[in-house]
């Protein structure tokens, strides 16, 4: 029995891949009971992409730990009836299909709301439930391109090494669910939540767009590489440093650090300028020593190493914060909320269908009805 802050909240998760499972991972680590419905006809193929953790992809093992698994062809009439009965017993339903897909199976919000008025039905899609792009396909790169985030990476545009829109969308879905739960305490009824990955990408460019929307026009983006005081610099050994000289006190400390190799007077302001010559001078200065040598004297100057994933995995500070946790003998990323609530890592995801029989019994199916669903292939159980 969970004792986390969301203990007592039950989430029916019909999503797959990254954004939806990330949202339900956050909720699960906070103590919610999450049951993942895996459709054999449209499986979460992240599970089978590789086998680093008990036959599963390591990312799948992290995103879906602590969750229960029901394997069900919910695109069939009998399978959709099972999901309907499950939804009647849950607080939240999370899905990540294009608008209208679940309506084909009778699993849209109006029909499920009729059997459970308290249900919070969260639809997490690419471009939202309405609007001219609602039915369009898209991936993280597309959302970032469309919403102005990619333009901030410079010319030519860069492909980033992580999925900003996917992860932001998942966080926003979890936040929307929690807001709806609070609202339900007042009203006694749930609601349909329309959350889109593109909407999440928009938030990343919002500060720059605020000027455009206010009619102020463009300006150099000092936080996107235009400022020599807020950039990455390569050291003598080929390693990189991230230099964040925003405030005057950090710019002064940076000047003291570079004094030994700096030629001429140290400028009073290195952040708000966009002088390319100052940028070249800083590049030449940092190229005089190795990363380790610079860090040895950096102190509290907002200078940090650009670490590789291998270096990050060895970082002791992450374990001190609880951001790396051991789950059944495997080290995994911890929830970003682990330090706030003292969260543990939970358990690894079970095989597909491990909880199918238990949930069918919980939904008042008789033993004979359960066996009929299993024998017909509508419901699958782990031992099969």
């Amino acid at each position: 029995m969970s004792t986390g802050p969301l203990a007592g909240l039950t989430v029916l998760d019909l999503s797959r891949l990254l954004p939806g499972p990330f949202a339900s991972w956050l909720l699960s680590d906070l103590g919610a009971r999450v049951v993942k419905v895996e459709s054999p006809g449209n499986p979460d193929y992240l599970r089978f992409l590789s086998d680093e953790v008990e036959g599963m992809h390591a990312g799948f093992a992290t995103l879906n730990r602590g969750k229960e698994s029901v394997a069900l062809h919910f695109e069939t009439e009998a399978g959709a009836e099972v999901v309907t009965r499950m939804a009647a017993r849950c607080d939240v339903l999370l899905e990540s299909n294009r608008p209208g897909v679940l309506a084909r199976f009778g699993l849209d919000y109006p029909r499920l709301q009729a059997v459970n008025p308290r249900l919070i039905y969260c639809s997490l899609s690419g471009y939202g439930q309405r609007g001219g792009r609602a039915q369009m396909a898209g991936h993280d790169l597309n959302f970032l391109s469309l919403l102005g985030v990619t333009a901030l990476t410079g010319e030519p545009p860069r492909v980033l090494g992580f999925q900003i829109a996917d992860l932001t969308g998942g966080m926003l879905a979890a936040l929307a669910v929690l807001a709806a739960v609070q609202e339900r305490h007042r009203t006694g009824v749930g609601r349909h939540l329309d959350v889109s990955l593109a909407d999440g990408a928009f938030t990343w460019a919002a500060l720059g767009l605020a000027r455009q929307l206010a009619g102020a026009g463009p300006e150099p983006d000092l936080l996107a590489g235009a400022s020599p005081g807020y950039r990455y610099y390569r050291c003598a050994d080929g390693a990189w440093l991230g230099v964040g000289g925003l405030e005057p006190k950090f710019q002064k400390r940076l000047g003291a650090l570079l004094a030994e190799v700096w030629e001429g007077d140290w400028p009073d302001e290195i952040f708000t300028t966009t002088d390319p010559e100052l940028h070249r001078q800083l590049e030449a200065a940092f190229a005089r020593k190795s990363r380790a040598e610079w860090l040895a004297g950096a102190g509290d100057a907002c200078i940090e190493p650009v670490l590789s994933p291998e270096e990050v995995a060895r970082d002791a500070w992450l374990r001190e914060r609880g951001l790396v946790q051991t789950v059944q003998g495997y080290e995994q990323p911890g929830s970003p909320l682990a330090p706030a609530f003292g969260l543990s890592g939970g358990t690894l995801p079970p095989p597909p269908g491990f909880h199918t029989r238990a949930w069918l019994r919980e939904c008042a199916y008789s033993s004979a009805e359960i066996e009929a669903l299993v024998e017909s292939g509508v419901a699958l159980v782990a031992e099969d």
Side-chain angles (χ1 to χ4, degrees), residues 253-264 266 284-286 288-289 293-294 297:
R253 291 171 190 172
L254 178 60
L257 177 67
L258 296 176
E260 182 182 337
V261 299
W262 191 260
E263 298 178 2
W266 181 251
F286 278 107
R288 299 280 295 275
K289 293 183 180 181
E293 289 175 308
W294 286 121

Side-chain angles (χ1 to χ4, degrees), residues 70-95:
V70 169
L72 189 69
H73 281 283
F74 60 79
E75 65 274 15
T76 65
E77 183 177 350
E81 172 60 25
V82 175
V83 172
T84 300
R85 292 202 199 183
M86 294 176 73
R89 305 182 64 84
C90 292
D91 299 287
V92 179
L93 182 146
L94 174 65
E95 60 98 4

Side-chain angles (χ1 to χ4, degrees), residues 213-231:
L213 294 172
E219 67 174 352
D221 196 331
L222 300 175
L223 295 176
S227 167
Y230 196 80
R231 294 191 73 138

Side-chain angles (χ1 to χ4, degrees), residues 56-81:
M56 294 174 283
H57 184 274
F60 180 93
T62 294
L63 289 170
N64 295 283
R65 67 171 178 239
K67 302 176 185 178
E68 301 172 16
S69 173
V70 169
L72 189 69
H73 281 283
F74 60 79
E75 65 274 15
T76 65
E77 183 177 350
E81 172 60 25

